[in-house]
Amino acid sequence: QGKFVESGGGLVQAGGSLRLSCTSPLTVRITTIGWYRLAPGKQRELVARISSGGNIDYVDSVKGRFTISKDNAKNTVYLQMNSLKPEDTAVYYCNGGVTPLRDYWGQGTQVTVSS
């Protein structure tokens, strides 16, 4: 079995944008995939998820700023992050969007937003 592979993180100033990519070992065409984040001293948080049929959910703190999308042909899920805030600083991961799978966690991608 493979693991999720995340990329696209970096250091950005507040108000800036980043686009994260996630290559999935699961078939995104038939699986709900979620983006999670883990910040120091905080619990892991589900930020956004997209279902097989394209239904989308966001945590309230990112609504209107983040956009999740997917490319079924590439088996890849994206997270476009705009108007970034320092509180968005975290390591971002992707995994199953209903129940994350313990053995599928990848390395994540670090997002750091400076004020």
Side-chain angles (χ1 to χ4, degrees):
Q1 69 192 29
K3 295 182 183 291
F4 288 88
V5 178
E6 303 89 354
S7 63
L11 173 63
V12 64
Q13 289 188 330
S17 298
L18 286 171
R19 187 191 193 211
L20 307 184
S21 298
C22 163
T23 301
S24 171
L26 307 177
T27 304
V28 302
R29 179 175 55 83
I30 59 173
T31 309
T32 297
I33 302 296
W35 277 99
Y36 299 79
R37 64 186 178 188
L38 182 61
K42 296 186 178 181
Q43 290 189 328
R44 184 179 63 210
E45 176 181 45
L46 176 61
V47 174
R49 63 183 176 187
I50 184 166
S51 74
S52 57
N55 293 321
I56 290 171
D57 296 306
Y58 297 102
V59 68
D60 285 347
S61 59
V62 308
K63 285 180 179 177
R65 301 188 297 121
F66 290 12
T67 302
I68 190 171
S69 61
K70 64 176 179 172
D71 185 330
N72 289 336
K74 295 182 178 180
N75 219 38
T76 298
V77 179
Y78 304 97
L79 187 68
Q80 177 67 44
M81 307 188 296
N82 298 328
S83 302
L84 282 161
K85 304 176 180 180
E87 51 263 44
D88 295 318
T89 295
V91 180
Y92 285 71
Y93 303 87
C94 50
N95 206 312
V98 176
T99 303
L101 303 174
R102 181 187 64 187
D103 294 337
Y104 286 72
W105 290 108
Q107 300 279 1
T109 187
Q110 175 73 49
V111 172
T112 303
V113 185
S114 63
S115 57

